[in-house]
Amino acid sequence: RPGMYIGSTGERGLHHLVQEIVDNAVDEAMAGYCDTILVTLQADGGVRVDDNGRGIPVEIHPKEGVPAVQVVFSTLHAGGKFDSQAYAVSGGLHGVGSSVVNALSESLTVDVHRDGGAFQMRFERGDALGPIERIGDASDTGTTTTFLPDPEIFEEPDFDFETLAQRFRETAFLTKGLHMRLDDRRGEGRQ
């Protein structure tokens, strides 16, 4: 029952998916590790969220025995805001996080730059398509999450630019030093 986690399978729930991913980057900003978030509405109906934070950890999670990034995207309440050591302040709305976005997406790819490496993990309807892979080297840090909401779940999987833009204006205003940008690649070309 997706509505239990995101409120509805209508427009409100659809936009909540974006906010959950953005909130993770905002948490990095509030902790002093991120100052830029770029959200792109893609031509295929998907969304890409880039941040220049520390990058989601990719090492093996001590309790779960799989990479931490897999835990974050596959287990409810597994994010840093549920770890008393991770964030002193958290901006998340409901805290259901990335795992619900993953479960409600036809596809999701997470790219992580950290510790000198570029890593990628891909999912389909919440299930990992394989292990995390190191796909190269990286001199920067950050996380890019790209997801396509599942059209079998959402009534109208079409994002409203102004709804997101207003929310991001408010978030940037309330988060010192944070720059946010929303790009629309669906043909309208708005920023």
Side-chain angles (χ1 to χ4, degrees):
R1 298 182 179 254
M4 285 177 44
Y5 298 103
I6 57 169
S8 79
T9 56
E11 183 179 328
R12 183 172 150 230
L14 182 70
H15 290 84
H16 186 89
L17 295 182
V18 180
Q19 197 59 48
E20 282 292 343
I21 300 298
V22 168
D23 281 345
N24 291 337
V26 171
D27 288 343
E28 283 285 283
M30 293 171 71
Y33 298 107
C34 170
D35 65 8
T36 304
I37 301 171
L38 171 61
V39 179
T40 306
L41 302 178
Q42 299 184 304
D44 67 357
V47 177
R48 176 179 166 143
V49 179
D50 294 280
D51 73 61
N52 66 343
R54 293 173 287 185
I56 298 172
V58 295
E59 63 272 0
I60 300 297
H61 190 279
K63 292 181 184 170
E64 303 293 332
V66 297
V69 68
Q70 183 174 344
V71 174
V72 167
F73 281 92
S74 301
T75 307
L76 275 177
H77 307 303
K81 55 189 81 167
F82 298 99
D83 174 356
S84 61
Q85 307 302 312
Y87 294 114
V89 179
S90 173
L93 297 174
H94 299 118
V96 296
S98 305
S99 60
V100 168
V101 176
N102 189 16
L104 301 180
S105 294
E106 184 176 339
S107 62
L108 183 143
T109 301
V110 59
D111 291 283
V112 176
H113 287 193
R114 70 177 284 143
D115 304 324
F119 304 88
Q120 184 177 80
M121 190 159 194
R122 297 174 55 236
F123 299 86
E124 191 172 281
R125 292 191 165 92
D127 294 324
L129 294 178
I132 191 165
E133 296 181 64
R134 183 177 177 133
I135 57 174
D137 297 331
S139 58
D140 60 346
T141 61
T143 302
T144 298
T145 305
T146 307
F147 66 94
L148 182 64
D150 194 334
E152 294 178 11
I153 294 173
F154 291 96
E155 300 155 16
E156 285 292 325
D158 188 28
F159 294 97
D160 181 69
F161 182 88
E162 286 306 323
T163 298
L164 293 171
Q166 179 60 34
R167 177 62 194 243
F168 298 155
R169 278 192 287 272
E170 293 166 1
T171 300
F173 178 76
L174 294 171
T175 311
K176 183 179 179 180
L178 177 62
H179 302 280
M180 297 186 73
R181 180 174 166 154
L182 175 61
D183 285 347
D184 195 339
R185 302 282 170 87
R186 299 172 300 173
E188 290 91 353
R190 291 179 288 184
Q191 296 181 348

